[in-house]
Each structure stands twice: as structure tokens, then as C-alpha cells.
Amino acid sequence: MSKIWTRMGDGSPVELTPAELRQDLEDGSADAADRGGVPGLNEDDFKYLEELFARRDRFVGVDVGNEVVLTYDGAALKFKRHCLFEERLHVLTMYEKMFGADTVELGHVDYSYKPVKPIVNYEQGTLEMGLLTTHSPLIYGAMPNLGLYTRPDGPCPNPMELLPQGKIKEARAAYEDMVEEAVRDMVFVVGSMYESGADGFNLDTVGASGDADVLAAFLALEKLRAKYPDIAVEVGMAGEFILGMHGELQYDGQRLAGLYPHQQVKLAEKAGAVIFGPVVNTNTDQTIPWNLARTVVFIRACSKAASIPVHANMGMGVGAVPVTDFPPVDVLSRASKALVELCDLDGL
Amino acid sequence: MSELFVQAKQAILATDKEKALEAAKRHLDAGGEPLEIISRGFVPGITEVGEQFGRGTLFLPELIMAAEAMMAVTDLLSAAMAAKGGSVSASPSGSILAATVKGDVHDIGKGIAIAMFKANGYAVHDLGRDVEVDEIINGAEKHGVRVIATSALLTTTMSEQKKLEETLKKAKLRDKYVTLVAGAPVTQRWATRIGADIYAENAHIGVVRVGEKL
Amino acid sequence: MGMAIAHAQASGMGGMRTAGDLVARVQLAKGCRIREAKAYVAEKLGTSVMDLVDPVVMGEVRADKGLGTMMPLAHTPKGIECKFNIARELDVKINCLGNFLGKTGLGGGE
């Protein structure tokens, strides 16, 4: 029987027998179902994925009619990574006109709200110019990035230095102080950019510093919705479950640490998010079929639980996309198609 | 006796240092072998702590407290073995040097890994973040560690892990150490390419693979 | 960048080539899910839902209604001019338009 060519989570090519493929799909599904306490894949799902991986197409896409909306993270900054020094507004028009983008996103090179604070007027000017020339919804994006609030970059002691010394109470207090600082900065920057006319906002990579990072995003969002009832904010997560760096922080009476996407989305809705971006991490020791089955289980549960649009994160190392700088289109396009079609997604 | 092993495991899971020490003392008072309660009580406890952390059902402060409880009992049991005339330590052999590589200021993953290694009885020397390769090697030499563990969160800083391998080879020190690489963009493929001994997908796997290697 | 292009080809609506930007705008403005957003846009534009991802049909609709085209000819709406048309055709609020009217003295306010 012919083997099925696919890849590992780090992008390395691998060949599987049909039985091995099926086993990986079942194992990936079972792992997510067990961790998340959510339903695994059914027989129809397994057949869909088996056929998807057995196809020899280099590139696949969703069936006509199943297309979804795309939002981005740090889109305008990605040129810089390639040493392409295009002006940001020019990049937005390239995304809009050349890359088939449904939305465009402006962001500062640091891609964190804190460093934008002192230069927000310049960012406002840039945004206002962009709004004159683009056509698509223009989103402003950055990360809460609580790490920037610890010494030497910020005013708070570093919990990652306190915790190893057993100073748990002090570390938790530091996280709580960081939340206050970050909320203030996010409300200031997002509010300023909203008043300049931005169509939407991306609070991106939420949870990168653990549960305090998530709490800061939700509290900032609450304040922003209270002040600007029409504001549209997308909350994009950092990882599949919320890391309990503090461990006891709560939002709306629920402990944040340990929540999986289907639980996170309900709190994001409560805080006032208009779009939710769940993350499922790619395991590089496993195959892409294993990762994709696992991702579908988590994201489908999230999509089913959601009342707002769900745009799954699908970039390097998340959403069953391999951990490699230039993910190959064979597995990338398969993940893209499967996630949209099996999870009833609203966007990516 | 098996009741004590259960108590030892539960004490670690509950991050209760006093109860863990009590179980260890009762075991010694009853004439038990120190290594027996380690392997049948405390190690299963800390293994489950690691697994729960990986699943998001137990969090960093608890992991740190579990690590402290583990360190307290291994100190006690090591002393008991020494008193019996044995030279075997209750801790795993070898200590670890940990650093986030030069140009990278991310230390959450490293912090979690350090807590996990300490919880499993390893002595860890943390050099912090943004650490030059030369400083890492000097630190390893100074502390006499067996394992050099480096973390890189960015694709732009991973190359420092390669530089470490090359510098160790040039200094004819490569065989002296076990090198471990970790971080969000780091993969087994990268580890193999640069010649690192261990790739750790996460902190728990890092502990398991270091244990196997040592 | 490559990632963005691959996803746009595999799953995206097509942006300005089709009605991707319009459906996205409705999602953001109303917080509605993809089916409702597509149905809303199709109804407002008088097209079928399937037309929304057809660059041939949507190219014509966009040109006729002044919603912005990929290759804008002389004397056709561009940039913020199209946004006024989009706001009217889709009956959605576009945040920056109030600022524009206020700054130019054409009405409204910041």
C-alpha cells in the first residue's frame, strides 16, 4: 500500500502508512478531547482528514462558498523581518491590493501597547493618513506584553526572578501591579487610535505572560467598551491554555489559569470582544496529522461555544502549522482548509 | 509502609513541605531505605505535578512550592544516606546551568523549566537572560555542571545556540557537557542540525530527557 | 507574508478583488458570524452569497457602486471616497468618516 507523504510539526518530511495516519489522527483527537474535556472527532471527521492527507495536491483550498474573512497580526511589520524597508502605509496598500487581504493591520515595530504610549500622536497621524487611502477595515494591533512592565524595562519587580526564590506572594503582587499598568496603557493607546478613526483593534498574543496578561486585556477591553460602545476589538490568544503564572487571578468569578479556548471565548465575549482568536500550539515531536486532528477538536469546541466570530490563529507553530519560518504550503493549506471547514470558522 | 508512599506522593501534589518531611521522617524511623520512598513516593508525586502543569491543571506557584518540598525531602534523605555511610545522593546526579541566550530577554519558559528541574531534585544555576556564549561556558566551568540548558524565544536569537555548540567544540569542552536547547522556535530538527544533545519540547520533557541522558 | 498569501488563496474571501473587505467590515461592525455577515452584505448589494467571492461579479458591483476597485480608473472613487459609498450601501458606521466630515467642515464632527 502506498505511503502518505506529510510532515512533522517541525516541518520535516515524513511518510505514513494509511494505518499510521489513522492512528495519528485518533491520538491527536484523543489528546485534545482529554485535555479540554470536549468531544473528539467523529468518523466523518476522520474520513475527511484521511482523504485530505491522502490527496497528492501540492496545495488545497476550501470548497467554493466556504471562504472566510482574514485578520492579521503585525502584518505591516513583516516586511521588515525580510529586510524590505517599505513604509508601513505602503505595506497596507500592498496587503489590500496584492495579497487578497480582507482587513489590514497597522502596528508599531515593537508591537506592544506600552512603547506606543509616548509616541501615540505619531501613530495617530500615520493611522489617519492610512484611513484616507485604504479601503478595507483598518485595524490597529499590538500585544499587552506584560513582560515590558518588569524591571529593568518597567516599574515592577520581575516575578520570574521572585518565583525561583520562593517569593510567591511578592511575585503575585508584582503581577497584580503589572495588570494595573498595562490596563492604563492599553486604554490610553487604543482609545487614542479609536478617536483617530481606526476600524478595529487587535489585542494580540494575549496571555504571553500568563494569566495576568489575560486579565489585563479583559479589564482594558471592559473599560474601552464602556467608553466607546461601538469599538470593535479582536482578542487573539498566545497559547492553547492560559498559563497560571499568578495562578489565582479571576475574571467574572472564574479562575483564568488553565482555561482552554472554548472557555476563554466566553470570557472574551463577556469583556466585550467582537472577534476571538484561539490558539492551539503545534507539537514538533508529532506529525501534522496528529496536530491537525488535535487542533480541530479544540477549535471546533471554541467555535461551538462562541456567540462572536472566531478567527483561529494559524501561523508559525500554531493551528497545526509547522514550527518553521517558512511553512510549506502543502501542510499549511491542508490545515487552513480543514480548520475552516470542520470547525465552522468565521475567519483566520 | 505503602501508606507512607501514598502520603509522600500526596504531600508533593498538595505542595505541603511539612507533610512531605513528616512522611520522609516516619519512613526513616521505621527503618526504611531512603531511596525507596524517593522512588515510590516522592518521584511519582513530582512526575504527576509536572504532568498537571503541562495540562494546565496546576500552576507555576504550586510548581515552585512542590519544588521546595522536594528539595527539603531530598536534603533530608541524602543526609540519612550519608549517615548510614552511603555516598549516594537522593538527588539526580549532576547540576544544570540555565540561560536565555544573548539578545533575548524572554525568561518565562526558562523560569518554568528551572522550577521543573528543581522540583525533580536537580541543582540549577540560573545565569538569567541575554547571556553571552562565553559567559555561559565560564558559568558552566565555574559551577561544574553536567548540563548546559539554553532557551531562545526568537528565530533571530536561535543562532546563539549554534554558536554555543561551536564555541564548546573549539574550546575542546564539548564532550564535557550535555547541551539542551529549548524555546518556541526551537525544534528537534534544529537540535540535530547544530549538534545539541537534547531538544525539550517543554519543561516536563526536558526533565525526562535529561534524566535519560544522565 | 508568504503565510498571508497562502491563507488568502486557501481560505480567504479575496479582499477587494471580491467582497472580503465588505464582509469583514460587517463582522467588525456588528460582531456577527460569517454566514450572517455574508447574507447581510449580499442582501444590501443585491447579489447572491456565492457572488461575494466571485471577482468577475464583484468587480462589476464594486465599480457600479463606487466601493473601490483593484485598478481604479481616473475619476472613480478611491480610498476614503469609497468608504462613504460603502457606509451608505451597507448601512454600517465607519469610524473615520465622522472625523473626515468634521475636519473638512462638510458636516458631522470629530
Side-chain angles (χ1 to χ4, degrees):
Chain A
M1 194 172 282
S2 65
K3 287 208 169 184
I4 293 150
W5 188 90
T6 182
R7 294 182 188 272
M8 297 297 291
D10 67 359
S12 303
V14 65
E15 286 188 320
L16 303 174
T17 64
E20 287 168 339
L21 172 68
R22 173 71 183 218
Q23 192 61 52
D24 274 7
L25 294 172
E26 288 182 4
D27 290 349
S29 166
D31 185 67
D34 179 41
R35 284 169 184 261
V38 293
L41 301 182
N42 60 39
E43 190 52 36
D44 286 345
D45 301 325
F46 285 125
K47 278 188 183 148
Y48 174 103
L49 291 170
E50 283 175 311
E51 284 169 18
L52 183 68
F53 282 106
R55 288 171 66 164
R56 296 183 59 79
D57 306 66
R58 177 170 171 271
F59 189 92
V60 300
V62 295
D63 289 359
V64 178
N66 288 345
E67 296 88 348
V68 294
V69 165
L70 303 180
T71 44
Y72 300 87
D73 58 346
L77 314 175
K78 292 184 178 169
F79 272 57
K80 249 193 180 66
R81 290 187 199 164
H82 297 74
C83 289
L84 295 171
F85 302 107
E86 288 291 335
E87 204 288 316
R88 281 186 294 166
L89 295 185
H90 188 203
V91 173
L92 296 186
T93 59
M94 288 167 75
Y95 264 79
E96 184 173 80
K97 290 288 180 81
M98 308 306 290
F99 297 173
D102 300 311
T103 58
V104 288
E105 188 188 294
L106 182 70
H108 180 251
V109 67
D110 277 341
Y111 205 56
S112 300
Y113 284 104
K114 182 172 177 263
V116 176
K117 186 171 61 168
I119 53 150
V120 74
N121 299 127
Y122 299 115
E123 287 296 272
Q124 285 176 289
T126 308
L127 173 80
E128 289 170 14
M129 286 296 292
L131 287 163
L132 293 173
T133 52
T134 56
H135 306 77
S136 317
L138 206 173
I139 291 169
Y140 191 81
M143 305 188 292
N145 201 352
L146 259 63
L148 290 182
Y149 295 90
T150 62
R151 293 173 198 153
D153 304 309
C156 305
N158 185 351
M160 294 315 292
E161 288 171 9
L162 294 170
L163 282 168
Q165 297 170 40
K167 294 180 178 172
I168 290 166
K169 199 174 150 198
E170 292 85 347
R172 283 181 166 150
Y175 275 123
E176 287 157 23
D177 290 344
M178 287 152 68
V179 170
E180 268 186 46
E181 297 280 341
V183 168
R184 198 162 37 236
D185 289 352
M186 279 189 276
V187 170
F188 173 73
V189 171
V190 172
S192 301
M193 301 303 273
Y194 182 75
E195 288 175 13
S196 278
D199 292 300
F201 294 88
N202 186 5
L203 300 186
D204 191 37
T205 326
V206 168
S209 302
D211 43 358
D213 204 285
V214 180
L215 182 63
F218 286 173
L219 292 178
L221 187 44
E222 258 185 11
K223 284 179 190 278
L224 287 161
R225 287 289 277 196
K227 191 171 180 187
Y228 310 105
D230 292 334
I231 198 167
V233 178
E234 174 170 3
V235 171
M237 299 303 289
E240 64 193 31
F241 67 81
I242 298 174
L243 277 173
M245 308 303 286
H246 181 292
E248 291 182 347
L249 294 174
Q250 295 192 348
Y251 179 74
D252 196 37
Q254 269 203 70
R255 178 148 87 161
L256 290 166
L259 295 184
Y260 278 89
H262 63 289
Q263 299 157 322
Q264 297 161 9
V265 68
K266 300 314 290 178
L267 294 184
E269 283 173 6
K270 181 92 182 175
V274 166
I275 296 174
F276 183 68
V279 162
V280 177
N281 303 96
T282 300
N283 184 324
T284 60
D285 285 341
Q286 300 285 352
T287 63
I288 289 300
W290 184 94
N291 277 289
L292 185 53
R294 186 174 182 277
T295 304
V296 168
V297 169
F298 277 129
I299 300 291
R300 176 189 275 167
C302 175
S303 181
K304 277 194 174 164
S307 305
I308 57 174
V310 173
H311 289 198
N313 274 272
M314 292 198 74
M316 175 185 170
V318 296
V321 175
V323 181
T324 174
D325 272 333
F326 309 105
V329 292
D330 41 61
V331 284
L332 172 66
S333 63
R334 278 166 174 75
S336 194
K337 175 180 168 68
L339 242 63
V340 167
E341 294 186 332
L342 293 180
C343 303
D344 211 11
L345 284 184
D346 306 284
L348 297 173
Chain B
M1 191 65 90
S2 63
E3 186 196 329
L4 271 183
F5 299 149
V6 173
Q7 187 189 328
K9 182 181 175 183
Q10 291 303 326
I12 295 299
L13 281 170
T15 70
D16 190 332
K17 185 161 75 176
E18 296 312 316
K19 278 224 167 74
L21 283 168
E22 184 193 313
K25 281 175 191 161
R26 282 179 57 201
H27 176 76
L28 293 175
D29 289 347
E33 282 299 317
L35 277 177
E36 197 181 8
I37 193 167
I38 285 275
S39 62
R40 293 178 63 186
F42 293 119
V43 167
I46 204 66
T47 303
E48 192 167 329
V49 164
E51 283 165 3
Q52 285 194 21
F53 183 82
R55 296 168 67 88
T57 52
L58 181 144
F59 310 113
L60 192 59
E62 286 106 310
L63 179 61
I64 302 277
M65 288 190 274
E68 286 185 350
M70 269 308 270
M71 283 189 279
V73 292
T74 48
D75 283 352
L76 178 80
L77 294 167
S78 294
M81 278 190 278
K84 280 185 170 184
S87 58
V88 184
S89 166
S91 305
S93 60
S95 58
I96 296 169
L97 181 125
T100 301
V101 297
K102 184 189 170 189
D104 203 323
V105 295
H106 299 88
D107 58 3
I108 289 179
K110 174 174 67 65
I112 291 170
I114 288 172
M116 196 73 84
F117 276 110
K118 282 185 175 175
N120 282 273
Y122 290 93
V124 184
H125 303 276
D126 180 11
L127 292 191
R129 50 191 186 172
D130 185 25
V131 187
E132 295 261 10
V133 161
D134 288 345
E135 210 180 319
I136 292 172
I137 295 173
N138 290 341
E141 290 287 289
K142 180 181 158 196
H143 295 294
V145 300
R146 286 287 314 281
V147 181
I148 300 176
T150 56
S151 170
L153 191 88
L154 307 168
T155 49
T156 49
T157 57
M158 286 163 68
S159 55
E160 285 293 306
Q161 293 176 329
K162 186 174 179 217
K163 189 174 161 191
L164 172 66
E165 296 291 334
E166 288 165 352
T167 311
L168 282 170
K169 275 181 206 154
K170 272 186 203 157
K172 302 201 186 307
L173 290 169
R174 181 61 189 85
D175 295 340
K176 190 173 171 184
Y177 299 106
V178 169
T179 56
L180 178 153
V181 291
V186 175
T187 62
Q188 180 60 57
R189 191 177 178 89
W190 170 249
T192 306
R193 212 174 130 213
I194 65 172
D197 296 308
I198 297 172
Y199 158 62
E201 170 89 20
N202 58 45
H204 180 57
I205 289 175
V207 170
V208 171
R209 290 189 178 161
V210 165
E212 288 166 357
K213 196 79 183 174
L214 297 181
Chain C
M1 279 184 295
M3 187 95 66
I5 295 166
H7 281 308
Q9 293 301 313
S11 306
M13 284 202 67
M16 278 183 70
R17 297 175 74 242
T18 59
D21 59 323
L22 308 178
V23 174
R25 203 172 271 291
V26 168
Q27 255 195 7
L28 282 164
K30 297 182 180 296
C32 56
R33 302 199 67 169
I34 192 78
R35 285 195 187 81
E36 294 101 282
K38 283 181 178 176
Y40 179 92
V41 174
E43 190 198 334
K44 289 289 179 190
L45 298 182
T47 67
S48 72
V49 169
M50 290 297 274
D51 286 341
L52 297 179
V53 288
D54 187 327
V56 178
V57 175
M58 284 311 301
E60 293 167 358
V61 171
R62 296 188 78 110
D64 292 347
K65 295 182 185 291
L67 307 181
T69 57
M70 295 296 288
M71 295 168 62
L73 301 174
H75 313 303
T76 61
K78 298 164 193 73
I80 199 162
E81 296 161 349
C82 301
K83 290 183 181 174
F84 280 97
N85 297 334
I86 292 169
R88 186 188 61 250
E89 293 292 330
L90 295 185
D91 190 22
V92 291
K93 184 186 166 196
I94 296 183
N95 190 18
C96 65
L97 299 185
N99 291 350
F100 182 90
L101 292 171
K103 287 175 191 167
T104 56
L106 292 171
E110 279 192 69

